């Protein structure tokens, strides 16, 4: 199974953030300049994985996740919000992770057993 991702130029067009190449197949995006707090997102096309870490300024909380089995990363941009949507599929589970960047950061995840 493959991991389909957007063209690198789509990230700065929608979010104002350039992906940084980390190795041959990995990309990292640091959204900290465009959101409150620290938000980093990275993905590995060959490894079919993603990693997210978020440190919001208000409240001092922390969120971190690493997921394997990624099949699709897409950018969803509308007048109401701009977000990253990832789909996952493993032998036992399917799921979706959404990271809304604008107008404010919001993260939601669903995982179902097959």
């Amino acid at each position: 199974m493959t991991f389909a991702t957007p063209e690198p130029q789509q990230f700065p067009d929608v979010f104002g953030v350039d992906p940084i190449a980390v190795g041959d197949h990995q990309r990292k995006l640091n959204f900290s300049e465009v959101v409150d707090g620290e938000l980093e997102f990275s993905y590995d096309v060959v490894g079919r994985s993603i990693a997210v870490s978020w440190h919001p300024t208000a409240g001092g909380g922390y969120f971190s996740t690493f997921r394997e089995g990624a099949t699709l990363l897409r950018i969803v941009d509308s007048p109401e919000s701009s977000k990253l949507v990832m789909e996952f599929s493993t032998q036992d589970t399917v799921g979706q992770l959404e990271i809304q960047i604008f107008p404010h950061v919001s993260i939601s995840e669903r995982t179902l057993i097959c």
Side-chain angles (χ1 to χ4, degrees), residues 2-13:
T2 61
F3 180 17
T5 62
E7 292 296 320
Q9 184 55 42
Q10 289 181 288
F11 293 100
D13 290 348

Side-chain angles (χ1 to χ4, degrees), residues 15-86:
F15 302 112
V17 174
D18 288 307
I20 299 165
V22 181
D24 293 334
H25 307 285
Q26 300 90 19
R27 299 282 185 265
K28 184 178 192 178
L29 293 111
N30 186 337
F31 292 97
S32 299
E33 292 185 22
V34 296
V35 300
D36 288 332
E38 298 177 25
L39 175 62
E40 288 189 355
F41 172 77
S42 60
Y43 62 98
D44 181 334
V45 175
V46 172
R48 295 182 47 219
S49 63
I50 65 95
V52 180
S53 66
W54 177 35
H55 303 268
T57 53
Y62 176 75
F63 173 83
S64 177
T65 191
F66 175 82
R67 291 285 313 264
E68 294 182 313
T71 58
L72 176 66
L73 166 61
R74 61 190 165 100
I75 295 171
V76 178
D77 188 29
S78 71
E80 294 80 31
S81 66
S82 298
K83 57 187 162 184
L84 298 170
V85 177
M86 285 125 302

Side-chain angles (χ1 to χ4, degrees), residues 63 84 86 96-100 106-110:
F63 173 83
L84 298 170
M86 285 125 302
Q96 185 175 39
L97 173 67
E98 290 187 9
I99 305 170
Q100 179 178 288
S106 173
I107 299 173
S108 65
E109 180 176 17
R110 287 185 307 270

